[in-house]
Amino acid sequence: MNEELVKIYSSFDIENMASFLDKLVLFVKKNHSIFLKYTLPDFLEGMEKIKSNEMVFGHTDENLEGIINHKKELFEQGMNKRDLCESVLTNAWDVCIYKTEKVCPACGDENLSVTVTSNQNQTVLFCEECLFTEIDGFSVEVKEDLIPANKKQVENYLQQI
Ligand SMILES: [Zn+2]
């Protein structure tokens, strides 16, 4: 698995993150049973359904090139399966997550991200730092797993504010 990821991560291009995301999603699907050992099933299924042509790219405040390069080096050294699975899903999330201008009211450390419940029914603002969740301006506890919102869902959110 590490070797294949070195190839995928080497091909990362900040100008074409859709292609990188496609490769990651395909990798996850191919190794579904391994990912399932370390991941909640609903979250995994939600991430596997992500279609790159429906997503927005480059709206994270993370240094993507730095992160991807660092992970590539770790894959080259050989990463254990648990960390490997977590890294792939986190990086798939990072490339297509939409971070808002709104600072988390709970921790104040991080801007909220636009996510949806894994059944796609509800748009939720989510803090990656403290896991705070907000729906329609109210702090609400969300039991479902959250995945990055797609372009349409992000646009709907932006129209409401
Ligand atoms: Zn927070």
Side-chain angles (χ1 to χ4, degrees), residues 39-108:
T39 319
L40 293 168
D42 287 351
F43 175 67
L44 184 60
E45 223 169 89
M47 293 300 285
E48 286 175 343
K49 279 188 198 144
I50 286 181
K51 292 189 181 66
S52 69
N53 60 347
E54 295 176 356
M55 305 306 286
V56 280
F57 294 98
H59 280 276
T60 173
D61 50 11
E62 308 279 356
N63 168 10
L64 284 174
E65 275 174 322
I67 291 172
I68 300 300
N69 224 350
H70 177 62
K71 291 291 180 186
K72 192 192 86 183
E73 283 165 16
L74 295 178
F75 293 137
E76 276 166 352
Q77 291 161 21
M79 198 186 277
N80 69 57
K81 287 209 166 78
R82 176 186 296 274
D83 291 347
L84 180 152
C85 290
E86 197 196 308
S87 296
V88 168
L89 291 169
T90 303
N91 296 152
W93 170 292
D94 286 337
V95 294
C96 64
I97 193 69
Y98 189 95
K99 278 252 168 104
T100 67
E101 301 288 309
K102 188 171 179 178
V103 176
C104 173
C107 71

Side-chain angles (χ1 to χ4, degrees), residues 10-156:
S10 300
S11 75
F12 177 77
D13 175 1
I14 198 107
E15 302 295 334
N16 185 8
M17 288 197 268
S19 150
F20 180 70
L21 181 61
D22 280 335
K23 288 175 194 168
L24 289 189
V25 171
L26 187 65
F27 180 85
V28 174
K29 283 185 189 163
K30 257 174 38 186
N31 297 287
H32 178 87
S33 56
I34 298 167
F35 276 82
L36 200 53
K37 285 185 199 166
Y38 310 110
T39 319
L40 293 168
D42 287 351
F43 175 67
L44 184 60
E45 223 169 89
M47 293 300 285
E48 286 175 343
K49 279 188 198 144
I50 286 181
K51 292 189 181 66
S52 69
N53 60 347
E54 295 176 356
M55 305 306 286
V56 280
F57 294 98
H59 280 276
T60 173
D61 50 11
E62 308 279 356
N63 168 10
L64 284 174
E65 275 174 322
I67 291 172
I68 300 300
N69 224 350
H70 177 62
K71 291 291 180 186
K72 192 192 86 183
E73 283 165 16
L74 295 178
F75 293 137
E76 276 166 352
Q77 291 161 21
M79 198 186 277
N80 69 57
K81 287 209 166 78
R82 176 186 296 274
D83 291 347
L84 180 152
C85 290
E86 197 196 308
S87 296
V88 168
L89 291 169
T90 303
N91 296 152
W93 170 292
D94 286 337
V95 294
C96 64
I97 193 69
Y98 189 95
K99 278 252 168 104
T100 67
E101 301 288 309
K102 188 171 179 178
V103 176
C104 173
C107 71
D109 274 351
E110 179 92 17
N111 285 19
L112 298 176
S113 301
V114 189
T115 64
V116 287
T117 50
S118 48
N119 59 13
Q120 298 276 333
N121 286 339
Q122 185 82 60
T123 302
V124 180
L125 291 188
F126 171 67
C127 175
E128 293 178 21
E129 184 64 34
C130 72
L131 313 183
F132 167 84
T133 43
E134 181 181 290
I135 297 174
D136 296 332
F138 295 98
S139 162
V140 179
E141 200 183 323
V142 178
K143 294 212 170 64
E144 290 90 356
D145 294 311
L146 300 172
I147 56 168
N150 66 29
K151 210 181 287 175
K152 207 177 264 175
Q153 290 156 337
V154 168
E155 278 165 10
N156 284 342

